[in-house]
Structures are given as C-alpha cells and as structure tokens.
Amino acid sequence: MTHVQNRPVNSLWRLRGYLRPFRVQMTVMFLAAITSVAAQIAIPLLTKSVIDGAIAHGARRMLVPLGLAAIGLGMVEALMNMIRRWIQADAVAQIEKTIRDALYAHLQRLQASFHDEWQSGQLLSRATTDLSTIRRFAGFGLIFLVINVLQFTAVIVLLVRLNWWLGLITAAVFTPVLPVCLRFEKRYRVLSRRVQDQQGDLATQIEEAATGIRVLKALGRGKEAAARHDVQATAVYETQVEKAGLLGSFWALLDLIPNAVICVILVLGTVAVSRHALSLGGMVAFITLALQLVWPVEALGYIIASGQEAATAAQRVLEIFDTKPEILSAERTEVLSTAPAHGHLEFRHVGFIYPGAADPVLRDVVLDLPPGKTVVLTGATGSGKSTLLQLVPRLADVSSGAVLLDGTDIRSLPLGDLRAAVGCAFEEATLFSASVRENVTFGAPAASDAEVEAALTAAQARFAYDLPWGLDTRIGEQGMALSGGQRQRIALARAILARPAVLVLDDPLSALDVHTEERVTRALHQILAGVTALVVAHRPSTVALADTVAVLSGGVVAATGTHRELLGSCPEYANLMSASESGVKV
Ligand SMILES: Nc1ncnc2c1ncn2[C@@H]1O[C@H](COP(=O)(O)OP(=O)(O)OP(=O)(O)O)[C@@H](O)[C@H]1O
Ligand SMILES: [Mg+2]
C-alpha cells in the first residue's frame, strides 16, 4: 500500500478540483458577500452625514432621504446575505456529494486486502464526519476568510481617512491578534486530528459491538465490551474538552481586544473632537466602524479552527484516495479467445504470499481444469484453499506464476469480462440488506423469473418462496433472519444464476445437513455438467461430484486423481475423508 504523506493545508489545496464545477456559484456567493459588507460599511458613513450635515446645520429636509438610504442599505445587506446562503446550501451539499461519490467509487476499486487492513469505522468516519467538515469550510470558512480580510482592510482605510492617528492606533491594537491566532492554530491542529482519529476508532468499536452482538452475549462479555467502549468514548470526550478549553480561552482573548479598542477610541476620540481634529459625526462613525472590526477578528478564530479541521479531514480523506488500486484492468486488453468462453482454467506454477506475511501460503500450484470438468479441491484447514480460489476472480493477484483462462493470463483480460465469466460463492455467505430476489439476481440483474426459479431450485433454496413475502422478503444485514444453511443456499443460487463459464465454490454445502446436501449435490451435478468448476469440499458425498480431486498441502497440489484412486494412493486424503465421514470437519 502506498501512502503519500500530505501536510493538512496541502491536502485541502489538492481537493480544489472538486470546487471547479461550482465556479459560477462560488463567484456569485463572493459577490453577494462583498456587496453585503459594502452596504454594512456604508451605513456608519451615512450616519456621519446625518449628524454632521442634517442635524448640525438643521437641514431637516435631508433627514428623510438619508433615512430612506439607510433603510435601503440595510435591505441590500439582508438580501445579499439571503442570496449567499441560498446558493451556499445547494452548492456546498453538491460538493460534499461529489467527493463522497468519488470516495465510494475509489473504495470499490481498491483491492480486498485494503479492506482487510483498514478498520471499517475509520472508513465510515472519513466518508461521513470528515466530508461534512470539509463541506462546512468550503461553504462558509473559505468565503469569509477572504471577505473578512477585505472588510478589515477597508474599515482600517476608512478609519485612517476619518482621523489618521486614531485610525493607526486602532489598527495597531488589533495587530497582536494575528500571532495569537497562529499560535492557537498550531495547537488546535494537533487536537483536531487526534479527535478525528479517535472518533474513527470509536465508530469501529460500535460497529463491531453491533455485528458481534451474539458472540458478546453468548460469552457474557457485555460488561468488558462496555468497559472498552467507555475507555474509547472517554478518550474522545477528553480530547473534545481539551479542544473546547483551548477554543474558550482563545475566544475570551478575542472578545477582550475589541472592547479594549472601544475604550481607547472613546478616550482618544474625545480628545480629537475637542481639538476639532474629528467631527462629532466622525466620532460616531469611527466607533460604529471600529465595532465592525470585532466580527471579522472574532470570526477569524472560528475560520482558522474550521479551516484546520477541514485540512486534517482532507488529509484523512486523501490517505484513502492516495492508496492506488493494485488490481487494475489490463491496459492492453485481450479478448477472451473463444466466445462464449469455454472456461479452460489453468494454474501455472502459482505462488501467493499475503502482504506482510513471512511465508507464502501457496508455493507452486499446478492444476489444470479442462472445460466443463469439475475439480474438487480438498486439504487441511489453513492449507490455502480459499486463498487459491480468490485468485480466479482476481480479488488478489498471484505473487508468482499465472492463472490462465482459455490460454490467456487473466491479468491481461478486461476485469469486467473476467468477473462476468467467473461465478463465486464464498465460505461466508454474505447477503445484502435487500430482498431475496435482489440478492439472487445481484450478478445478473436482467435474469427472468424462470431463471431465478431454476437457480433457487438447483440450490435447494425453494424455501424462499415460503418466506412471508416470498422473494420480496427483505433479508437483514448479512442475512440475519436466515439460518446459516439457508444463507449458503441463497448465495449458491446467486453464483449459479448468471450461468458463468467458470464456477468457484468455497465449501458451498458446509452448513447443510446430510440429506439436503445430497439433494443439492444431485442438482449441482446437472448444473456443473457444462461448467468448469473448482469446488472446495470436505465430505465424501460432495467429493463424488468431482471428475478429479486435488489435495492441497504445503502450498502445492500434493496429489490428484479420482476419489477412489486417491483413497488408495494418498494417505493424507484417506485421513481427511475418514475424519469427515465420522462427522468431524477437518
Ligand atoms: N487476509 C489474510 N492475510 C494474511 N494471511 C491470511 C489471510 N487470509 C488467510 N491467511 C492465511 O493464509 C493461510 C491459508 O488460509 P485459507 O483461508 O486459504 O485456508 P483454507 O484452506 O481455506 O482453510 P479452511 O479450510 O479453514 O477454510 C492461513 O494460514 C491463514 O492464516
Ligand atoms: Mg477456506
């Protein structure tokens, strides 16, 4: 797995591509915000004209137009804010959705081993919390970062023009806020990354407790699990409190500075007015304008904080985006040599080692499956049967050697074609929270009712018609409402429905009673007639399906032959079979 280390701010910058389609909306939002700020700044200047002109010279006629102008400016400000919020809500939600869709698509492209390595809670919190954080900053922080700097500068310029030395003093008093903000930013960055990571861990733990609830209850480990959860939740709580404390003292300081400024202006302004360096209206305008500096400065703290959070969020999201898919569709793709594929599957000196493992699981597997033949793969637990099977649909790639389909290395076939040609049912019968029909037609959405019925019949899964809503019955997450054997049979129906050229079945009948197994085996016999099949099995009754039996041991195919031949020639095979005959799964 390749991680490119990003600094948080660079990460945020790297996501700018997602803002590009929203250029127009962002520009309108900026313009609306600038207009609203301009109207806000103009109001004190209007007040100055009212006091120094209309009131001081008793020109009452001017009061009405000036008053109307003030109302007009107020309305402009309100209208512009409304427009900005209105666009913001839509554009920003769309930005979040675009990134989330891209993230989802990327997670789908990543190899199975990536998902083995990453905790699902971490992925979940990155796809939800982190993206919301980025959205908040893109919609609010980013615009006001620019607007507030502009507003601050414009107000200071006006203040200097009203009275240059009082203006400069005001600016000087506000200046120390900047280094304070930067120091705060550094400490806040550490805390916000910590809390985001901890939330990811917490999500993982809650998810595991939910999916593993039966084990927890059965083993009576609820208390311990709750204690572990409490430790994790406390960690999140403590970091959050620390973060809030830091934020609190920062804001207290930011509140203090503007009030001190008002104090200074009141004292020095009175001096200026008494020396006729500032008109009375000018003094009122000066104070009102100076008060307008408070919000940009205060908000700067919030904006820096939310920018910081967005930056760490971007960093966490990019850690996923930067992981390159290892299993790619071939660039110079070859077309399956015969259409439809005959399904000649060949393992040529295949070796496989799990990333980070010391020893290879498969060392030199040589196995030939002629078209239409069924090979049963057997071997002790942990011998690498499931590992070998996952190489066929390229859930992982061989470390050495090659897997060939109809004479072509599967790595030079388009991934979609390969996966359409190979039907799989794995050890863990994973069903999705959807109806039985949707689960069965997952790999062949266009299948007709008759085809679905044929697949369910062959897999001895007709019980599905007797469920409360028949095939429309929703089966829960991981098919919770079904028994293990029922789930296996639905998964088997799913694998055979698409009529693939090659069928890869990992212990498809392990959870069935002997009688059901016998019926499924008989039905499978018919289905497997025209299909090349690689089936992992342990029981003699399933082994009877095989044209050839292969025994996997020590990372190689140690022996091949018919059931009868192997019983005589391969002691390990005889041993495996006798153990399972007596009902013990090897
Ligand atoms: N994702 C993984 N990462 C690292 N090692 C793994 C992984 N999956 C399996 N292994 C290791 O590879 C070896 C072979 O596992 P595999 O699941 O292929 O065995 P198996 O023959 O299917 O066993 P069983 O009959 O119990 O299903 C085991 O030693 C296992 O610990
Ligand atoms: Mg296995």
Side-chain angles (χ1 to χ4, degrees):
M1 215 162 47
T2 45
H3 274 316
V4 180
Q5 282 300 324
N6 287 294
R7 278 175 47 81
V9 177
N10 298 351
S11 307
L12 208 51
W13 179 241
R14 280 185 52 202
L15 289 177
R16 70 190 181 282
Y18 290 101
L19 295 186
R20 219 165 277 147
F22 300 94
R23 259 175 308 199
V24 177
Q25 284 103 313
M26 297 294 267
T27 314
V28 175
M29 277 159 68
F30 262 110
L31 291 179
I34 286 182
T35 315
S36 134
V37 165
Q40 196 190 342
I41 291 178
I43 292 174
L45 299 180
L46 206 63
T47 318
K48 178 173 178 290
S49 323
V50 171
I51 296 173
D52 289 351
I55 294 180
H57 300 112
R60 295 234 178 103
R61 264 187 303 126
M62 287 303 291
L63 271 179
V64 176
L66 284 173
L68 286 178
I71 291 176
L73 284 174
M75 278 166 64
V76 167
E77 190 188 339
L79 185 70
M80 288 299 139
N81 278 337
M82 194 187 83
I83 291 177
R84 176 181 54 76
R85 291 209 181 94
W86 185 56
I87 299 175
Q88 180 177 318
D90 182 58
V92 165
Q94 277 197 56
I95 293 171
E96 184 184 5
K97 179 176 177 298
T98 316
I99 306 182
R100 183 168 291 140
D101 287 349
L103 191 70
Y104 184 85
H106 188 71
L107 283 173
Q108 293 294 311
R109 274 196 303 276
L110 285 173
Q111 58 281 5
S113 65
F114 169 86
H115 293 272
D116 290 344
E117 269 173 51
W118 279 66
Q119 295 173 330
S120 48
Q122 282 290 353
L123 297 180
L124 202 66
S125 75
R126 282 165 210 234
T128 52
T129 325
D130 286 345
L131 288 185
S132 308
T133 309
I134 295 173
R135 178 202 53 191
R136 274 199 298 275
F137 181 67
F140 177 82
L142 198 58
I143 287 178
F144 279 94
L145 188 64
V146 178
I147 297 295
N148 285 2
V149 170
L150 285 180
Q151 185 177 5
F152 188 84
T153 319
V155 168
I156 293 290
V157 168
L158 283 177
L159 291 183
V160 170
R161 286 194 51 186
L162 280 172
N163 181 294
W164 68 269
W165 56 268
L166 197 50
L168 287 182
I169 289 174
T170 311
V173 180
F174 269 103
T175 315
V177 177
L178 198 63
V180 172
C181 285
L182 291 179
R183 255 215 10 234
F184 161 80
E185 185 253 10
K186 256 192 206 142
R187 287 180 54 197
Y188 198 80
R189 176 170 40 188
V190 178
L191 286 178
S192 63
R193 170 80 205 213
R194 194 188 303 159
V195 91
Q196 276 156 300
D197 285 344
Q198 284 172 339
Q199 271 164 343
D201 291 340
L202 189 64
T204 302
Q205 218 171 49
I206 293 173
E207 195 221 307
E208 281 180 0
T211 50
I213 187 72
R214 284 186 169 73
V215 181
L216 283 179
K217 279 187 190 296
L219 297 182
R221 303 296 290 177
K223 265 202 191 120
E224 286 78 1
R228 254 187 312 147
H229 169 264
D230 189 54
V231 170
Q232 199 67 49
T234 309
V236 174
Y237 159 78
E238 279 168 356
T239 317
Q240 263 167 348
V241 167
E242 198 179 338
K243 207 171 109 176
L246 184 66
L247 213 55
S249 47
F250 179 62
W251 266 333
L253 197 69
L254 284 184
D255 277 341
L256 203 64
I257 292 170
N259 289 326
V261 171
I262 302 299
C263 241
V264 171
I265 296 172
L266 273 177
V267 174
L268 295 181
T270 315
V271 175
V273 171
S274 66
R275 290 187 177 173
H276 302 290
L278 190 66
S279 66
L280 200 59
M283 164 101 166
V284 173
F286 201 102
I287 291 182
T288 327
L289 276 174
L291 282 174
Q292 284 188 14
L293 293 175
V294 177
W295 156 247
V297 170
E298 264 188 6
L300 203 62
Y302 173 77
I303 291 166
I304 288 178
S306 94
Q308 199 47 63
E309 273 171 348
T312 39
Q315 190 184 26
R316 283 162 46 88
V317 169
L318 280 175
E319 279 169 7
I320 300 176
F321 275 125
D322 285 341
T323 310
K324 297 274 172 279
E326 282 168 10
I327 300 196
L328 297 169
S329 198
E331 284 194 1
R332 190 183 59 79
T333 49
E334 309 212 359
V335 186
L336 278 171
S337 56
T338 43
H342 282 166
H344 181 189
L345 187 67
E346 201 183 343
F347 294 87
R348 237 180 238 175
H349 303 288
V350 165
F352 184 82
I353 180 162
Y354 278 105
D359 297 312
V361 176
L362 305 174
R363 290 192 290 119
D364 185 21
V365 173
V366 179
L367 190 62
D368 191 61
L369 289 87
K373 297 289 181 209
T374 300
V375 172
V376 162
L377 189 67
T378 192
T381 178
S383 57
K385 302 179 295 294
S386 301
T387 307
L388 186 70
L389 259 48
Q390 66 165 353
L391 299 177
V392 182
R394 286 190 74 201
L395 299 181
D397 271 341
V398 295
S399 311
S400 61
V403 181
L404 289 88
L405 183 59
D406 292 331
T408 313
D409 189 327
I410 55 171
R411 283 169 297 184
S412 48
L413 292 173
L415 208 49
D417 290 5
L418 171 71
R419 289 182 180 164
V422 178
C424 302
F426 300 108
E427 255 170 323
E428 286 286 326
T430 305
L431 302 179
F432 297 94
S433 22
S435 69
V436 176
R437 191 192 312 277
E438 284 165 306
N439 267 288
V440 174
T441 58
F442 206 68
S448 70
D449 282 353
E451 287 169 319
V452 171
E453 187 172 354
L456 285 171
T457 309
Q460 294 293 312
R462 290 194 65 92
F463 69 85
Y465 289 101
D466 301 330
L467 292 173
W469 290 275
L471 296 192
D472 294 319
T473 310
R474 284 183 72 83
I475 37 188
E477 192 181 20
Q478 300 181 3
M480 282 293 189
L482 300 179
S483 78
Q486 287 172 328
R487 279 163 47 193
Q488 263 192 346
R489 281 177 283 160
I490 297 278
L492 186 61
R494 174 171 66 197
I496 58 184
L497 175 71
R499 298 198 171 277
V502 177
L503 251 184
V504 167
L505 305 177
D506 198 347
D507 224 351
L509 312 176
S510 63
L512 305 188
D513 65 84
V514 179
H515 300 297
T516 313
E517 191 203 346
E518 213 177 276
R519 287 202 300 276
V520 180
T521 306
R522 235 179 290 132
L524 269 183
H525 239 319
Q526 290 177 349
I527 291 169
L528 296 185
V531 178
T532 314
L534 183 57
V535 184
V536 170
H538 294 98
R539 300 192 211 166
S541 49
T542 319
V543 169
L545 282 174
D547 295 301
T548 312
V549 180
V551 182
L552 193 62
S553 174
V556 299
V557 173
T560 53
T562 61
H563 176 59
R564 238 167 234 292
E565 286 166 10
L566 285 178
L567 278 181
S569 64
C570 179
E572 183 176 352
Y573 182 72
N575 196 14
L576 282 167
M577 285 302 128
S578 65
S580 53
E581 202 108 59
S582 58
V584 185
K585 191 195 164 203
V586 189

